[in-house]
Amino acid sequence: CDIAVIRSYDEGETWTKPEVIVSAESFGVSNIMSVSCIYQKDGSIGVYFVIKEKDKTSTFGRAISIDGKIFNAEIL
């Protein structure tokens, strides 16, 4: 599973097509899950998630965006 975002610019009347912001493949796994989205103190958007490793362990990751359009993902 990947993490995708959809946006509405008209109070939820219409939505954009889904856009993947974090792919499981970029971490070498097939599943990332348990997503939380939190505004950071500096105004950026933080997306936090669990990376299910191939050895059945879990690692935490996050993706940060200043503008809500470009997200930079990393392992915590």
Side-chain angles (χ1 to χ4, degrees):
C1 294
D2 298 327
I3 299 172
V5 62
I6 57 172
R7 296 178 176 89
S8 175
Y9 298 101
D10 58 7
E11 308 269 334
E13 293 292 321
T14 60
W15 296 89
T16 63
K17 292 183 179 181
E19 176 187 338
V20 174
I21 60 170
V22 182
S23 71
E25 184 180 335
S26 67
F27 292 102
V29 299
S30 58
N31 192 16
I32 49 180
M33 57 192 235
S34 301
V35 181
S36 295
C37 184
I38 303 167
Y39 280 104
Q40 308 298 291
K41 289 182 181 181
D42 66 0
S44 62
I45 301 169
V47 178
Y48 294 83
F49 49 90
V50 175
I51 302 164
K52 294 300 288 182
E53 303 289 351
K54 292 177 182 180
D55 66 359
K56 302 201 190 303
T57 62
S58 297
T59 304
F60 292 103
R62 75 172 173 197
I64 301 291
S65 176
I66 301 293
D67 61 5
K69 295 178 183 175
I70 299 171
F71 287 82
N72 296 309
E74 64 184 347
I75 294 175
L76 294 179

